[in-house]
């Protein structure tokens, strides 16, 4: 994962992303990647629950 921190407290999933970070141009070349799970990943402590996250801005 790039720039994604996930925590679970009880039944609440919290996702933290630093919006000031950038990881370069996306594969399509249309946007700048800020954060990504780089595909579907399991939620911490809940292997049967998956999340896929991409955060980006226009180039």
């Amino acid at each position: 994962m790039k720039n994604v921190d996930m925590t679970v407290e009880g039944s609440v999933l919290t996702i933290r992303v630093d919006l000031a970070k950038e990881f370069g141009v996306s594969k399509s070349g249309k946007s700048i990647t800020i954060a990504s799970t780089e595909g579907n990943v399991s939620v911490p402590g809940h292997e049967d629950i998956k999340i896929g996250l991409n955060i980006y801005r226009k180039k």
Side-chain angles (χ1 to χ4, degrees):
M1 291 191 295
K2 292 180 182 174
N3 192 26
V4 178
D5 181 38
M6 295 189 292
T7 56
V8 176
E9 293 181 30
S11 62
V12 177
L13 170 64
T14 302
I15 301 168
R16 292 179 52 102
V17 172
D18 182 350
L19 297 176
K21 290 187 179 181
E22 294 183 352
F23 291 91
V25 179
S26 67
K27 289 180 184 177
S28 70
K30 297 178 183 178
S31 59
I32 305 293
T33 302
I34 296 170
S36 178
T37 56
E38 300 177 309
N40 296 327
V41 297
S42 296
V43 171
H46 300 272
E47 297 302 313
D48 58 329
I49 301 174
K50 306 292 184 184
I51 184 171
L53 176 74
N54 291 303
I55 300 177
Y56 57 92
R57 67 172 179 81
K58 263 187 163 176
K59 186 174 173 185

